[in-house]
Amino acid sequence: MPGGAAMPGGRPRGRRAAGGWVPCAALALGWALAAALGAPPPHRCRPDAALLPPPLRRLAGAALLRAAVPRLRGGWSPCQLYRYRPGPGTGTGPGTGPGSGSGAARPNGTGPCTRGWHYALPAAGLRSNLVTQWDLVCASRWKVPLEQTTHLLGWTLGSVAAGLACDRLGRRPAFVASLVLAVPLGLSVALAVDYVMALVTRLLFGAALAGAFLSLYVAQLEALSEGSPQPRYHAVCEIFGTRVIWKNGGILGFTAFIGAGIRHCFTRNLAPHLPQFFYSYFVLVGTEAVACAFVCLTAERFGRRAVLLLCTVLTGISSLLLLALTQYLLDLIVLTLSVVGITASHAVAMLSIFFASEVLPTVVRGAGLGLIVGASFVGKAAAPITAIPNSRGFFLHHVVFASFAILAVLSIMLLPESQGCSLPQSLQDGEGQRRPPLFRRPPREDHLPLLASQRAACPPRDYSRLAASTKRVLGPPGAPRAT
């Protein structure tokens, strides 16, 4: 009774699917926190009366600020204080300061801040973050990209380690262990006493979050599909001894790397148009939601390979247009191309990971998916490096990833199609996947599946009519066959 057997498992399966939303929400909050922790708020130097001439040291309030801090077009200088030439000045009134009269003391130049910084709070919804706590601005602002890169590398290491643990120990033990480790590591980030401790705890916290995410994702994908995992354990190194599995994993890891890494090329164009932190953050979240909805609506209807190809083409075209024509295009066109590129790159990264989970066999799915997810975080980790002050790597970053996007378009043609197919269980199932033809061909009537295996991972057509016709030609058992 197949129909009756499916009923009892439906309700537990629904409960397992619904229960997965709770840890997903916690993991999403842990990921979203990274953007606010390193957001630099508006700041300026604190005035230092010791750097002023004696007649100006009695100033206070706005007069002291005008005498000590240079005024720029966008506001007060964030990293410089006035330096005055030696000699007594004249004028001690409220208007005394640079340019207040011919007899007033005049600055001789500028120098770095000496008494710290004044921050305009709240910054990005937080009264205090890593930047304000340890003054990671001006000469020390390179430490913010370093912290962000370290956190993303933690996600990379956690994805690889959790993938290996999923295949070796099981999905549930890997998830529970990662979730248990994430709680004290998250508290350690909040209680860090110096920058080095914050750097180390953010690395480990990212690894724990990545482990929980990957193991939960694999478990939910397999609690929702039919079939059971094969009991035999295969090391991840066995992937490199295959032909089809290695090719599929390498291509999808490459596209995930491109989709995650090229996003910075588009988000940087949003800064002049969306100066507020919340505006740009909501744009990124909104485009990711749109990309997720687009993938859900199209991948099941048109196939994984076709949608991935379309999103990669949109990403490459948007990137190339912005790379070559940004200074010649209207601001509205630049903004539109940036939003389209961000949305398409989100879809490429998400669909690459989902596609990989369907083409990798169960016996190596955890480890293989960990490598692919890790590749996507390596692409993300390249973005903060280009934000280091005095770094000119953004143009090279843009050129390299735009070129890789074009190469990814050609590579996607070699992938199989997993739409409507059951998940491959063994290495033999994974090796049996073949890419469909680029254009659909009419069915051939003389093609008999005489050598088909007992369990096809993805039957291309329904052969029921062909089998019935064959039985009629052959006749009943024991009857003479027509020649």
Side-chain angles (χ1 to χ4, degrees), residues 465-479:
R465 295 183 179 180
L466 185 61
S469 301
T470 305
K471 289 181 179 179
R472 286 196 298 268
V473 172
L474 296 179

Side-chain angles (χ1 to χ4, degrees), residues 156-235:
T156 302
L157 296 176
S159 299
V160 176
L164 295 173
C166 282
D167 289 341
R168 184 67 176 177
L169 305 176
R171 280 52 163 156
R172 181 180 298 179
F175 171 70
V176 173
S178 301
L179 205 59
V180 169
L181 290 175
V183 175
L185 290 173
L187 294 176
S188 301
V189 173
L191 301 177
V193 296
D194 55 15
Y195 174 76
V196 176
M197 181 178 177
L199 206 65
V200 175
T201 53
R202 289 282 290 164
L203 173 71
L204 299 177
F205 184 54
L209 291 179
F213 163 75
L214 182 68
S215 53
L216 177 64
Y217 180 78
V218 176
Q220 290 289 91
L221 176 74
E222 295 173 348
L224 299 180
S225 64
E226 299 179 355
S228 57
Q230 297 292 328
R232 182 183 174 187
Y233 169 72
H234 290 269

Side-chain angles (χ1 to χ4, degrees), residues 392-459:
R392 301 181 180 180
F394 174 72
F395 179 77
L396 180 61
H397 178 275
H398 200 162
V399 171
V400 170
F401 275 92
S403 304
F404 283 172
I406 302 302
L407 182 59
V409 171
L410 303 177
S411 302
I412 292 173
M413 299 293 187
L414 303 177
L415 292 175
E417 179 54 66
S418 61
Q419 179 189 11
C421 305
S422 59
L423 296 180
Q425 302 292 334
S426 62
L427 293 180
Q428 291 76 12
D429 294 338
E431 285 291 282
Q433 301 176 106
R434 294 292 184 268
R435 67 176 182 87
L438 185 60
F439 302 102
R440 293 187 178 274
R441 300 175 181 175
R444 295 178 56 186
E445 296 296 335
D446 58 343
H447 177 69
L448 300 180
L450 299 179
L451 302 179
S453 60
Q454 294 181 356
R455 179 187 178 277
C458 185

Side-chain angles (χ1 to χ4, degrees), residues 32-42 119-132 148 275-282:
L33 182 64
L37 279 179
Y119 299 96
L121 299 176
L126 295 179
R127 299 288 301 179
S128 177
N129 60 6
L130 297 178
V131 176
T132 61
Q148 295 171 345
Q276 299 295 327
F277 171 81
F278 283 117
Y279 294 162
S280 58
Y281 181 76
F282 285 138

Side-chain angles (χ1 to χ4, degrees), residues 323-395:
L323 181 64
L325 303 174
T326 298
Q327 55 183 344
Y328 306 107
L329 297 176
L330 298 176
D331 291 344
L332 180 60
I333 299 179
V334 173
L335 185 61
T336 302
L337 287 175
S338 300
V339 172
V340 171
I342 293 173
T343 306
S345 62
H346 274 306
V348 169
M350 286 189 295
L351 188 54
S352 297
I353 295 174
F354 177 70
F355 201 172
S357 65
E358 291 188 334
V359 299
L360 291 174
T362 302
V363 291
V364 291
R365 182 172 294 122
L369 200 59
L371 293 174
I372 294 174
V373 174
S376 70
F377 284 108
V378 170
K380 290 182 180 180
I385 299 177
T386 62
I388 295 178
N390 301 323
S391 173
R392 301 181 180 180
F394 174 72
F395 179 77

